[in-house]
């Protein structure tokens, strides 16, 4: 479908949750990297070879964990922006993680996985 329709957020699977309390950035990012390292499907890109899609499992993957300061009134717009991301499945892993820091001890986790 990606090849027929082009980049689209249609097949994104979003998970959005509020986290109360202090979130240790480095520990959280390390945990995400660890999950990706353990699951090949999260380190897989889909390249074209001979006109056909082929899985390419990366030994290591750059995991985009982004921490963003976000006023509470902008959370909905930032969540929509993040969940509407268009993955380039030939060049990047099918996972994005954005942590919206809305105030002291208050964050919103936005995790998006492409269904592939």
């Amino acid at each position: 479908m990606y090849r027929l329709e082009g980049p689209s957020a249609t097949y994104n699977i979003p998970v959005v949750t509020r986290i109360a309390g202090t979130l240790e950035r480095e520990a959280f990012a390390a945990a995400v990297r660890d999950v990706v390292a353990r699951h090949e499907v999260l380190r897989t890109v889909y390249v074209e070879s001979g006109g056909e899609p082929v899985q390419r499992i990366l030994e290591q993957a750059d995991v985009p964990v982004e921490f963003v300061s976000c006023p509470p009134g902008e959370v909905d717009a930032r969540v929509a922006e993040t969940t509407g991301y268009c993955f380039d499945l030939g060049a990047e892993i099918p996972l994005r993680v954005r942590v919206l820091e809305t105030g002291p001890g208050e964050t919103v986790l936005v995790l998006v996985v492409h269904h592939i």
Side-chain angles (χ1 to χ4, degrees), residues 4-53:
L4 294 174
E5 297 176 3
S8 168
T10 302
Y11 295 101
N12 286 357
I13 302 168
V15 176
V16 180
T17 188
R18 290 189 182 275
I19 300 172
T22 302
L23 181 67
E24 295 292 331
R25 285 180 171 201
E26 285 305 313
F28 179 78
V32 171
R33 286 191 303 269
D34 191 44
V35 169
V36 171
R38 292 173 188 261
H39 298 280
E40 289 180 344
V41 72
L42 296 176
R43 291 183 281 112
T44 301
V45 294
Y46 300 85
V47 296
E48 193 169 312
S49 177
E52 296 293 324

Side-chain angles (χ1 to χ4, degrees), residues 63-100:
V63 183
V65 178
E66 184 181 10
F67 293 88
V68 179
S69 180
C70 179
E74 294 180 17
V75 169
D76 290 344
R78 292 288 181 105
V79 167
E81 171 191 331
T82 305
T83 60
Y85 182 78
C86 295
F87 288 93
D88 178 355
L89 299 174
E92 63 184 321
I93 64 172
L95 171 70
R96 300 214 22 115
V97 180
R98 181 178 274 180
V99 179
L100 306 176

